Amino acid sequence: MLLQLINLTKKFGDQTALNNINIEINTNEIIGLLGPNGAGKSTLMKSIVGALRIEEGQILFNGNDIGENEIETKKNIGFLPENNPLYSEMYVKEYLSFVADLHQVPKQRIEEVIDLVGITPEKSKKISQLSKGYKQRVGLAQAILHAPDLLVLDEPTNGLDPNQIIEIRNLIREIGKEKTVILSTHLMQEVEALCSRVILIHQGNIIQDTTIEEFKGKYSSLEEAFASYTN
């Protein structure tokens, strides 16, 4: 078991963002995390990666409580947030070198990852000069630079053109053969193309945790199933 969420609850004042969440995730899974806007997806992902403090419940990563082993846990998790915070005045390679230093990753890994995510032609540009699609690739590069066991991606193909979406999907698929990926997206075709399992969160509760086939069930499409479960 790579990741266990046990009775995880998160409140912001009177609002319950996560309500008694229990999830178990194995290695080598690509999981689609679905839900309407405001359902609790981002809160869940930020709790898993240690960006939000756990107040109720527990998260175990490789058997260790992430609240008690914060640094060691973060060494093995990669995170691409939805807003993809980058240092816009840094050059691409400079930024990735900075991230490599934080993770104590050998410099040769930087060129490997630059090639892997397809940003070689842009590596000498300032991040502020990049298109949104290339900025997404830089964000993905920093998330995988240290070869984490768990990769958490919030809308990773946001802003990409159709060709770029296919390329990033193929990359995520390859990563999922050796690592575990939690992928949050509103694109059902992305889920169908990449994921073997769906976790659907609505109003802070897990209402579905099942295979793609069972999630779709009697419905003609994933979109129809999603609409039915969340209305």
Side-chain angles (χ1 to χ4, degrees), residues 30 153 156 168-176 181 183 194:
I30 301 180
L153 306 174
I168 295 300
R169 276 184 194 165
N170 289 338
L171 176 58
I172 293 169
R173 191 178 290 112
E174 285 302 307
I175 292 169
V181 180
L183 168 72
L194 288 171

Side-chain angles (χ1 to χ4, degrees), residues 40-96:
K41 301 187 302 297
S42 292
T43 301
L44 181 59
M45 287 183 285
K46 287 176 182 177
S47 298
I48 290 169
V49 303
L52 281 178
R53 186 164 163 248
I54 298 164
E55 293 157 356
E56 294 181 50
Q58 189 179 32
I59 300 179
L60 301 180
F61 181 72
N62 281 330
N64 297 312
D65 188 313
I66 70 166
E68 298 171 4
N69 301 272
E70 200 169 344
I71 300 300
E72 284 305 309
T73 298
K74 287 179 180 179
K75 286 179 181 178
N76 283 300
I77 297 178
F79 182 39
L80 175 60
E82 184 182 9
N83 60 354
N84 190 14
L86 300 169
Y87 293 110
S88 59
E89 291 308 305
M90 293 181 84
Y91 293 89
V92 171
K93 195 170 178 182
E94 177 191 19
Y95 169 68
L96 293 177

Side-chain angles (χ1 to χ4, degrees), residues 3 15-16 21-22 24 26 52 90 129 174 205 215:
L3 187 69
Q15 182 192 8
T16 301
I21 300 294
N22 289 277
E24 293 186 351
N26 294 308
L52 281 178
M90 293 181 84
Q129 296 174 309
E174 285 302 307
N205 295 288
F215 180 81

Side-chain angles (χ1 to χ4, degrees), residues 29 67 77 82 90 108 122 127 144 151 161 190 200 229:
E29 283 193 278
I77 297 178
E82 184 182 9
M90 293 181 84
Q108 62 264 30
E122 312 294 315
I127 290 172
I144 66 174
L151 189 58
D161 66 37
E190 201 125 281
L200 177 61
Y229 291 133

Side-chain angles (χ1 to χ4, degrees), residues 101-195:
D101 286 342
L102 289 177
H103 286 290
Q104 299 178 327
V105 172
K107 293 296 186 207
Q108 62 264 30
R109 173 67 177 163
I110 298 170
E111 289 295 340
E112 289 174 19
V113 170
I114 284 174
D115 183 56
L116 197 60
V117 301
I119 54 174
T120 301
E122 312 294 315
K123 68 181 180 181
S124 298
K125 286 186 178 180
K126 273 190 176 182
I127 290 172
S128 60
Q129 296 174 309
L130 301 180
S131 67
K132 187 171 184 181
Y134 274 113
K135 286 177 182 176
Q136 279 298 100
R137 290 175 185 236
V138 174
L140 185 58
Q142 67 77 26
I144 66 174
L145 190 63
H146 54 299
D149 292 333
L150 174 64
L151 189 58
V152 180
L153 306 174
D154 195 352
E155 300 285 348
T157 57
N158 186 20
L160 303 187
D161 66 37
N163 290 333
Q164 292 171 332
I165 287 173
I166 291 169
E167 290 169 7
I168 295 300
R169 276 184 194 165
N170 289 338
L171 176 58
I172 293 169
R173 191 178 290 112
E174 285 302 307
I175 292 169
K177 291 177 181 177
E178 298 179 354
K179 310 289 184 179
T180 298
V181 180
I182 298 174
L183 168 72
S184 173
T185 181
H186 290 295
L187 301 176
M188 294 300 128
Q189 62 266 38
E190 201 125 281
V191 176
E192 205 146 21
L194 288 171
C195 304

